[in-house]
Amino acid sequence: MTAGHILTVIFLRGCISTGKKVAVGLLERRVKEKDSRKKLILKSARSLFFKKGFNQVTVDEIAKSSELGKGSIYLYFESKEEIYAQILLNDIDNFNSQVAVLLDKKSSSTDFLTEFSYIYIDFFLNDGELFRILMTYMLQPAKMNLPEVLNAQILNANARSIDVIGKILQLGVDSKEFSADMNIKQNQNALWGLLNGIISLYIFSGVQAKRKERIYSSTKLALEIFIRGLKKA
């Protein structure tokens, strides 16, 4: 092979390598752009749902707020309900990230339950519409008409939130802080229902400035009674 041939081969290999890098670069950029648009749609929709409520928001409004065409919305989501559910999933995951480190601390199970409860309450006090989204989904999941994969992800994420309560209760049993006779599954579900019940009583009613105080005081009283029962069960 002559020197000219060798140089030609080297040149062609360089072109192929460069072409591959360019193709990979373009693919990465498209993935980032797609992810960025999806996040923009969710952010815009979340803001609209918070201000107007789910039923009052249209896909056209979400598209306008996102500065995208209506058709572009459907490239990423099949329906308004799917956007709604994806927001819920993201926020449940954020909550789970917050409470994941809770059990790393050295504390009593009573304190863990109290801290978990107030983290949960604050999560919804910061965004009342999120609580409405969660309750709508939990009470009427069939009406959401979601893809099975997304539906399963939400159920699993929500189950992880409730399971944290179960882990705290088990710690209490192991440390003999709580009675060994308790049914952990029933009690974790009972506490989760208790918190949601208190939030639902006050989060959309009464003077807004007093909602947090009422929810906190009701939760404090309910936890005292609930934990007293755990110790006697």
Side-chain angles (χ1 to χ4, degrees), residues 8 27 29-30 110-112 125 158-159 168 219 231:
T8 300
L27 180 61
R29 189 174 70 183
R30 285 173 182 168
T110 294
D111 288 342
F112 278 144
L125 281 173
N158 198 51
I168 295 172
T219 300
K231 293 179 178 179

Side-chain angles (χ1 to χ4, degrees), residues 61-127:
E61 288 177 304
I62 295 172
K64 184 178 180 181
S65 180
S66 305
E67 297 184 347
L68 296 170
K70 183 176 180 179
S72 296
I73 303 296
Y74 290 110
L75 291 175
Y76 300 94
F77 302 98
E78 293 183 4
S79 65
K80 184 177 73 167
E81 287 76 13
E82 187 175 339
I83 296 174
Y84 197 68
Q86 187 64 61
I87 292 169
L88 175 60
L89 176 61
N90 291 350
D91 284 350
I92 293 175
D93 284 340
N94 288 337
F95 171 78
N96 286 340
S97 296
Q98 286 186 40
V99 298
V101 297
L102 185 62
L103 300 184
D104 293 338
K105 303 177 182 178
K106 290 184 178 180
S107 188
S108 68
S109 294
T110 294
D111 288 342
F112 278 144
L113 284 179
T114 301
E115 188 171 354
F116 174 92
S117 298
Y118 288 125
I119 291 173
Y120 190 77
I121 289 168
D122 286 342
F123 200 71
F124 293 117
L125 281 173
N126 292 331
D127 186 349

Side-chain angles (χ1 to χ4, degrees), residues 15 23 35 48 74 77 89 103 120 130 138-139 142 149 168 176 192 198 208 210 212 219 226:
C15 288
D35 186 58
L48 288 168
Y74 290 110
F77 302 98
L89 176 61
L103 300 184
Y120 190 77
L130 174 61
M138 295 305 296
L139 295 173
V149 172
I168 295 172
K176 297 184 172 24
W192 187 77
I198 292 173
Q208 186 169 358
K210 294 184 178 180
K212 182 174 182 177
T219 300
F226 185 82

